Amino acid sequence: MTKSEVMEKIKEILNDLFDDDFDVTESTVADDIDGWDSLAHLQVISAMESGFNIHFTLGEINNFANVGEMADSILKHLG
Amino acid sequence: MSDFRTLQKNSRKECDGAKVSVCIMGDVATQFLAQAVKGYGYECNLNLNITDIDYNQIDMQTMDADSELYESKSDYVLIYMSAEKLYEKFCHTDISLRDKFAEMQVEYIKEVHNRINSNVNSKILQFNFIEINDGVFGSYSNKVPVSFVFQIKKLNYLLNEYTVTAKNVFIIDLSSLAVKYGYDFILNEKYFYSAKMALSIEILPHVAKSVIDVIKAVSGSIKKCVILDLDNTLWGGVIGDDGLGGIQIGELGAGHAFSDFQAYFLELKKRGIILAVCSKNNEDTAKEPFNSHPEMVLKLSDIAVFVANWEDKASNIKYIKETLNLGYDSFVFIDDNPFERNLVKSVLPDVTVPDMPEDPALYLSYIRSLNLFETASYSSEDISRTEQYQAEIGRKSLEASYSNIDDYLQSLEMQAEAKAFDEFHYSRIAQLTQRSNQFNLRTIRYTEADIEKISKDDNYLTIYFTLKDKFGDHGLISVVIMKKVDNETLFIDTWLMSCRVLKRGMEEFIVNKMIDIAKKNGYKTVQGEYIKTPKNAMVEKIYSKLGFHDNGDNSYTADVNAFINNKTLIKEI
């Protein structure tokens, strides 16, 4: 998968999870999206893990500065 | 079952069902649990008002008379003390005290409950503990009283023992859920370490169901009666066609699955659930296995109401309901046939109708997984309930209570084919003439070679019928062979039909077609005959019911040109 493919899928997953059709870029942060609080973050993590069939580490999940960093991590786990 | 996302969406919807208030507190975070319980409640038409206490507040909330817990005056207090937190406590307990760890914990739980009881009038729902093995002693821990495994198992036991007499405390059996789904499925370590949540997104709907099942039972919504189909539900095969020796029941092969299924219902009966039978059969045929089959687990004396006839099942369930004087919502209807299930669902929406798996091997585990028989009480009277009902019912006879099912039949979009025999169907047609006993007017048996010969003989008019509806295809279900008597007269040598498609307008469709084909071929009269056998009583009067003249002596005649078509909702394709 290329990074743009990963970004496209991340957008799909987030749109589905938050029931809205919003844009997602690499600089998007949780505060930009209505409803993405610390609790919802757990669901974002779960949805990404099952969507990409990967497992983040505990250290990663609370340290993504923005969606771009999450995409990088996903790419790394995809190998 | 809905996933967590769906439950979460439900939890934000308005619900106009019964109001129930629940206060949830745990030694782990319970926000998702609260959403799941509320969302599952929505699906059961319960309007839940949930007070979700921040995590690790159990002592503060129960000791402070002005706490949120007590302010909420909730109907239920749901307490989630997790095995994970229990383990932390265990690790901080001095080894010299560990053999009494379970006693100490159950005393602590009782104390928490007593504090609640002295402040509010709430019912207490207490999760029991997932019996995790901490990997310190391995299996040997079961022989070591100071091990965690030993103590947590003892704790669950002591908790049970305490609640036998604690009338307002109800256990939510998380431990059984763990046996079914496994700890790997239940615990998401990242949730636990990053957010103090001990339940995964995947297990939450199941946990929520356990909670709501108990709340429903405590508030009086329980199942009281199971209505059972017979053929291919309680035994394999069709008693009317396969006979006593041909049905599958007992230790051998597929019969074992049916025996276990029966044993489950016998256990339910012993704990006070009423059993009823609703079968499309002649009553004598239907009762034969109960009376004469040595491997039957259920006996006639276990059945409070036994209904076997050829009416539609919705009408028969209505009769059973009126006989037992119970509400429709206390009934569960078990039937392998999707047509019967959908009819009952559509006419009697309050009856619970599980969508049985196709494979009988899965019947029992499927029904168990639904947890339909949650209850909130058990007494010695429950044991003899069936006998009490039987005494009341006496010999009250069945007055058919017809319900209007035309709307349902219309909605099925039934389509039938009527065609002359062809080589692709010889074997199926021959098989039907050999196997059909009940809906079979003359019970003439034919081999495949006979059928081929008849289909090529100009002295015969042959028709086979297929039927399908929006739920699926029943395939070739009826066979008609008409023989030329003279230039004006046809005689119905054979008419048989599969009982699975009875009472939905197929009989009418077939007779209309017989007359139509006779007319097109220039005949003026069609003659029918009924030859009695021990099994075909159900079709004794069918010709006169469908517009033929009764000549006496089981002989019937139809005037082709004066014949008025029978009403049917089936379309020909």
Side-chain angles (χ1 to χ4, degrees):
Chain A
M1 260 182 152
T2 65
K3 188 159 183 183
S4 64
E5 286 167 345
V6 169
M7 284 300 299
E8 186 51 37
K9 192 160 175 183
I10 288 176
K11 177 179 183 299
E12 273 174 37
I13 291 171
L14 291 176
N15 283 181
D16 179 56
L17 199 57
F18 294 103
D19 278 329
D20 201 359
D21 187 21
F22 46 80
D23 276 336
V24 176
T25 67
E26 291 192 36
S27 60
T28 301
V29 295
D31 282 348
D32 296 339
I33 292 164
D34 199 21
W36 191 342
D37 56 16
S38 60
L39 204 55
H41 185 63
L42 293 175
Q43 286 175 275
V44 171
I45 295 300
S46 268
M48 295 300 159
E49 288 186 334
S50 55
F52 288 97
N53 196 21
I54 54 151
H55 290 286
F56 295 115
T57 65
L58 180 62
E60 285 171 321
I61 60 173
N62 288 319
N63 289 305
F64 299 129
N66 53 35
V67 172
E69 283 193 14
M70 189 160 74
D72 288 334
S73 166
I74 289 169
L75 276 168
K76 191 188 84 192
H77 285 292
L78 287 171
Chain B
M1 181 177 281
S2 299
D3 62 11
F4 177 66
R5 275 286 288 152
T6 310
L7 296 185
Q8 205 172 28
K9 285 180 193 169
N10 287 345
S11 73
R12 299 187 196 109
K13 292 180 189 161
E14 290 293 319
C15 175
D16 55 7
K19 287 184 182 171
V20 179
S21 52
V22 183
C23 180
I24 301 181
M25 56 180 183
D27 58 13
V28 283
T30 50
Q31 295 101 315
F32 280 177
L33 176 64
Q35 291 175 356
V37 168
K38 187 167 168 64
Y40 194 87
Y42 175 86
E43 296 194 349
C44 303
N45 203 27
L46 289 177
N47 180 1
L48 265 73
N49 177 12
I50 293 196
T51 307
D52 183 26
I53 307 285
D54 285 346
Y55 103 98
N56 232 355
Q57 299 259 321
I58 293 175
D59 283 327
M60 276 152 68
Q61 291 280 329
T62 51
M63 288 194 273
D64 172 7
D66 298 321
S67 66
E68 275 175 276
L69 163 65
Y70 296 145
E71 291 286 315
S72 78
K73 292 192 170 58
S74 295
D75 302 322
Y76 297 89
V77 178
L78 175 61
I79 304 174
Y80 180 19
M81 296 176 186
S82 67
E84 292 77 13
K85 286 286 175 179
L86 187 77
Y87 189 59
E88 289 176 18
K89 274 191 187 174
F90 181 81
C91 294
H92 289 109
T93 302
D94 191 86
I95 293 186
S96 66
L97 298 172
R98 285 183 181 181
D99 66 334
K100 291 280 178 282
F101 181 75
E103 280 87 350
M104 281 154 43
Q105 287 310 308
V106 83
E107 284 310 314
Y108 167 67
I109 291 169
K110 281 186 207 174
E111 188 189 318
V112 167
H113 292 180
N114 287 340
R115 287 180 209 150
I116 294 171
N117 289 338
S118 52
N119 279 278
V120 282
N121 195 15
S122 306
K123 295 189 171 64
I124 296 169
L125 308 176
Q126 174 80 43
F127 281 98
N128 63 7
F129 296 89
I130 299 173
E131 295 173 358
I132 42 183
N133 190 316
D134 63 349
V136 171
F137 286 94
S139 291
Y140 194 74
S141 55
N142 291 285
K143 284 163 66 77
V144 181
V146 295
S147 75
F148 181 65
V149 173
F150 196 101
Q151 291 298 316
I152 197 166
K153 288 181 178 176
K154 186 160 74 169
L155 176 53
N156 272 341
Y157 173 77
L158 292 174
L159 197 56
N160 286 351
E161 205 174 48
Y162 148 62
T163 57
V164 169
T165 50
K167 294 296 180 198
N168 75 324
V169 180
F170 300 89
I171 298 285
I172 308 290
D173 198 354
L174 196 57
S175 171
S176 284
L177 276 184
V179 170
K180 185 164 169 62
Y181 294 101
Y183 191 56
D184 289 349
F185 184 75
I186 290 177
L187 184 78
N188 179 325
E189 293 86 348
K190 281 197 293 279
Y191 278 24
F192 186 65
Y193 289 118
S194 67
K196 307 294 176 218
M197 283 191 192
L199 298 170
S200 70
I201 295 267
E202 292 76 22
I203 196 67
L204 276 166
H206 301 284
V207 177
K209 173 177 162 52
S210 294
V211 173
I212 295 293
D213 282 349
V214 173
I215 289 177
K216 275 164 52 186
V218 172
S219 48
S221 165
I222 52 169
K223 300 301 171 197
K224 295 172 183 160
C225 175
V226 183
I227 301 173
L228 297 159
D229 171 53
L230 298 179
D231 292 331
N232 287 313
T233 297
L234 285 193
W235 54 70
V238 177
I239 183 66
D241 291 332
D242 299 325
L244 201 55
I247 59 169
Q248 296 168 312
I249 181 82
E251 277 300 305
L252 274 178
H256 195 171
F258 290 101
S259 295
D260 280 358
F261 200 43
Q262 288 197 14
Y264 174 64
F265 293 112
L266 184 59
E267 286 306 305
L268 287 177
K269 182 242 166 188
K270 287 178 189 164
R271 92 121 169 93
I273 300 284
I274 308 283
L275 303 183
V277 161
C278 177
S279 165
K280 278 191 175 161
N281 259 312
N282 291 331
E283 191 168 336
D284 292 346
T285 313
K287 285 185 172 169
E288 204 184 348
F290 290 89
N291 286 324
S292 311
H293 201 298
E295 306 259 33
M296 281 288 288
V297 180
L298 289 170
K299 306 293 174 204
L300 273 187
S301 57
D302 298 318
I303 311 295
V305 190
F306 197 107
V307 180
N309 58 32
W310 301 97
E311 298 304 330
D312 73 272
K313 292 207 173 184
S315 300
N316 282 330
I317 289 173
K318 202 170 156 193
Y319 164 78
I320 294 169
K321 182 234 179 231
E322 281 158 12
T323 307
L324 296 173
N325 201 16
L326 298 170
Y328 283 120
D329 57 0
S330 51
F331 285 94
V332 177
F333 172 59
I334 310 272
D335 197 312
D336 68 297
N337 185 336
F339 171 85
E340 304 295 358
R341 294 201 302 260
N342 286 313
L343 181 137
V344 172
K345 278 187 210 171
S346 129
V347 180
L348 305 172
D350 289 339
V351 173
T352 298
V353 185
D355 278 317
M356 302 298 290
E358 279 189 27
D359 183 355
L362 307 180
Y363 283 179
L364 177 57
S365 52
Y366 174 70
I367 289 295
R368 274 184 180 157
S369 77
L370 298 178
N371 190 32
L372 290 169
F373 303 100
E374 187 70 59
T375 186
S377 69
Y378 177 69
S379 73
S380 55
E381 281 166 38
D382 290 329
I383 301 166
S384 57
R385 183 166 296 129
T386 296
E387 288 75 12
Q388 294 160 18
Y389 271 99
Q390 280 168 338
E392 274 175 39
I393 296 155
R395 291 191 168 274
K396 191 174 169 184
S397 66
L398 175 59
E399 302 151 22
S401 38
Y402 302 94
S403 49
N404 183 2
I405 60 165
D406 278 2
D407 290 351
Y408 173 71
L409 292 176
Q410 184 79 55
S411 77
L412 281 178
E413 298 159 17
M414 293 179 287
Q415 297 182 315
E417 265 182 310
K419 295 203 163 137
F421 293 2
D422 57 50
E423 60 188 17
F424 307 107
H425 295 97
Y426 290 159
S427 69
R428 167 69 178 156
I429 290 163
Q431 185 198 39
L432 276 173
T433 68
Q434 288 154 23
R435 278 180 49 99
S436 300
N437 293 317
Q438 303 186 92
F439 196 116
N440 199 339
L441 274 298
R442 297 179 71 243
T443 321
I444 313 286
R445 313 294 193 192
Y446 289 116
T447 63
E448 203 174 327
D450 295 328
I451 292 296
E452 186 178 353
K453 218 165 123 191
I454 289 170
S455 71
K456 289 174 176 164
D457 187 336
D458 286 339
N459 288 314
Y460 288 92
L461 285 169
T462 61
I463 325 171
Y464 71 79
F465 294 84
T466 66
L467 177 65
K468 64 179 176 183
D469 59 38
K470 67 178 178 182
F471 295 112
D473 197 340
H474 301 283
L476 198 164
I477 42 79
S478 181
V479 173
V480 169
I481 299 173
M482 296 191 287
K483 189 179 182 186
K484 179 178 171 181
V485 179
D486 56 47
N487 286 337
E488 294 189 349
T489 313
L490 278 174
F491 174 71
I492 304 168
D493 168 90
T494 290
W495 177 20
L496 60 84
M497 193 175 86
S498 161
C499 291
R500 283 181 76 87
V501 298
L502 205 64
K503 292 269 174 189
R504 55 185 85 169
M506 195 65 210
E507 305 93 296
E508 288 78 358
F509 180 88
I510 291 167
V511 166
N512 293 351
K513 196 72 200 172
M514 287 180 193
I515 304 293
D516 183 48
I517 285 178
K519 195 185 229 173
K520 282 185 177 141
N521 286 278
Y523 294 95
K524 294 199 167 65
T525 309
V526 176
Q527 294 175 342
E529 186 190 35
Y530 167 74
I531 300 177
K532 193 174 178 61
T533 71
K535 287 186 172 165
N536 69 351
M538 62 177 292
V539 289
E540 187 164 5
K541 294 288 170 201
I542 191 151
Y543 282 124
S544 52
K545 278 182 205 156
L546 295 175
F548 281 64
H549 176 71
D550 189 344
N551 306 322
D553 287 327
N554 293 322
S555 148
Y556 302 84
T557 317
D559 180 343
V560 169
N561 293 311
F563 193 81
I564 299 162
N565 270 350
N566 292 289
K567 183 190 161 198
T568 177
L569 296 165
I570 299 174
K571 302 264 178 303
E572 186 175 358
I573 47 169

